[in-house]
Structure formats: structure tokens, C-alpha cells
Amino acid sequence: VWVDDPYDPYDPYDPGYPDPGEGDSSLTPSEYTEFLALQDQYLSRMTTEERDIYDNMSLVNKYAYLSNAYRAETLAEALFPTSLWNGTGDAFRHGFFHALNSVSIGTHLSMLLGDAHEANASSGLALEKAMDLFNNAFGRTFAADRGIGQTPQDFILQALEDGQLRYLTPLAPNGAIVPGLTELKPTNQ
């Protein structure tokens, strides 16, 4: 039985747990308007593999996924305006996005979408892909590892401070990798 608690530790995509969108996949008119705007913003950024998964999701889960992406991107921009590409802001965004997803669409679906998004990264982007996949996976631990009353934002900010997330350093002034110098490091180093 699906429990309507956004912080329920049960993964709705594990066998035996129904899709939370089953039976009532409707959105309010304002949510649907927001959903359409978010789709316009994010669909072109999805890989083919990610889009294949997304297209088969319930409307409620699509809305949650896109809303989480927007929320993670917006908060990362506000908190880390100078490190959004390969830096600590990028690490935060990935971790926070998947922490949000872990409770709203489930850890399994979040993993499938996150892995699919990184699937086509070229070999020249191996460090960026490794960073993103690491931070995505850590973010998904929120559903099981959070403290009592801890929000996804607090969980990821603490992880960032404790060095549980990864970022790339040193970087060129524009955030690009410096061949032969850039390394994947814990966020507290």
C-alpha cells in the first residue's frame, strides 16, 4: 500500500509498491500549467535514453521530476553562483536533485533517469560523468539515511561540508577541466 508521506522510506518503485500516480494522475490546473512550462524548459536537455524512461512515467511523476530539477537548479544558482559547472555548486545540484527524487519518485526510478542522463557522455567528459554519477548516487541515500526531521537541502549541505560529495579541481576560470591537472576530490578539500 502506498503511504502518502513524501518522506516515507519505502521506495514506490520496488516490487510490491504501486506507482503513486496510479489511480489519480491528475494535476491541478496551476500544476499542469507549470508542468507544461517545465517540459518546455527541460525536454530538450534529456538524452534519448532518459526521454524513453520519462515518456513512460505517470503525469504525477513527470511533474515531480521536472519540479525537482527546477528546484535543484534554482537553489544551486542561489547558493553557489560561481561554481555551477564542475564545482561545489554542481555537486550540490546533483545531490539535491536526487535527494528530492528519492522521496518523490523513488530511488530506483531516480537512478534509472540519472544514469540515462549521463549515458552518452563522451570520453572527454569522463571526470564530469564520474562526478555527476557519484553525487547522484549519494543524493539518493537521503531516503534511507536522513536524520529525523532533516530536509533534503540540509542533508546535502551537510554532505557537502563533510566531504561526502565530489567536485572537480583545479578548473579553468570558466569551469572547464584542465587536462592533466583536474582531479575528482571530496568537497571538503
Side-chain angles (χ1 to χ4, degrees), residues 44-61:
S44 64
R45 295 163 57 179
M46 290 184 190
T47 64
T48 303
E49 293 85 354
E50 182 182 11
R51 182 69 190 266
D52 287 345
I53 298 165
Y54 174 86
D55 285 344
N56 289 297
M57 291 165 48
S58 70
L59 180 61
V60 169
N61 284 345

Side-chain angles (χ1 to χ4, degrees), residues 134-149:
F134 184 93
N135 294 325
N136 292 351
F138 184 85
R140 290 188 298 270
T141 68
F142 173 74
D145 295 346
R146 70 186 179 279
I148 295 173

Side-chain angles (χ1 to χ4, degrees), residues 3 5 14 24 42 64 69 86 98 108 110 120 131 147 153 174 179:
V3 177
D5 173 2
D14 281 347
D24 182 14
Y42 287 102
N86 295 328
H98 284 270
H108 183 70
S110 179
N120 295 330
M131 181 185 101
Q153 178 179 337
N174 67 352

Side-chain angles (χ1 to χ4, degrees), residues 158-180:
Q158 188 64 55
L160 195 73
E161 185 178 311
D162 294 345
Q164 294 175 293
L165 299 178
R166 299 294 182 265
Y167 77 119
L168 298 176
T169 189
L171 297 169
N174 67 352
I177 290 173
V178 180

Side-chain angles (χ1 to χ4, degrees), residues 42-140:
Y42 287 102
L43 283 182
S44 64
R45 295 163 57 179
M46 290 184 190
T47 64
T48 303
E49 293 85 354
E50 182 182 11
R51 182 69 190 266
D52 287 345
I53 298 165
Y54 174 86
D55 285 344
N56 289 297
M57 291 165 48
S58 70
L59 180 61
V60 169
N61 284 345
K62 287 178 181 179
Y63 176 64
Y65 183 65
L66 298 176
S67 297
N68 292 343
Y70 180 77
R71 185 173 170 199
E73 193 170 336
T74 303
L75 188 56
E77 288 170 356
L79 296 175
F80 306 96
T82 61
S83 64
L84 295 170
W85 182 32
N86 295 328
T88 54
D90 197 8
F92 172 84
R93 180 174 54 85
H94 279 267
F96 184 53
F97 179 45
H98 284 270
L100 292 169
N101 285 337
S102 74
V103 294
S104 63
I105 66 169
T107 56
H108 183 70
L109 184 56
S110 179
M111 179 196 67
L112 292 175
L113 289 160
D115 289 356
H117 184 76
E118 303 297 335
N120 295 330
S122 69
S123 61
L125 300 175
L127 278 174
E128 290 181 31
K129 179 179 180 177
M131 181 185 101
D132 293 347
L133 289 172
F134 184 93
N135 294 325
N136 292 351
F138 184 85
R140 290 188 298 270

Side-chain angles (χ1 to χ4, degrees), residues 131 163 165-170 181 183-189:
M131 181 185 101
L165 299 178
R166 299 294 182 265
Y167 77 119
L168 298 176
T169 189
L181 293 177
E183 298 177 308
L184 187 62
K185 291 201 170 197
T187 49
N188 64 350
Q189 293 182 14

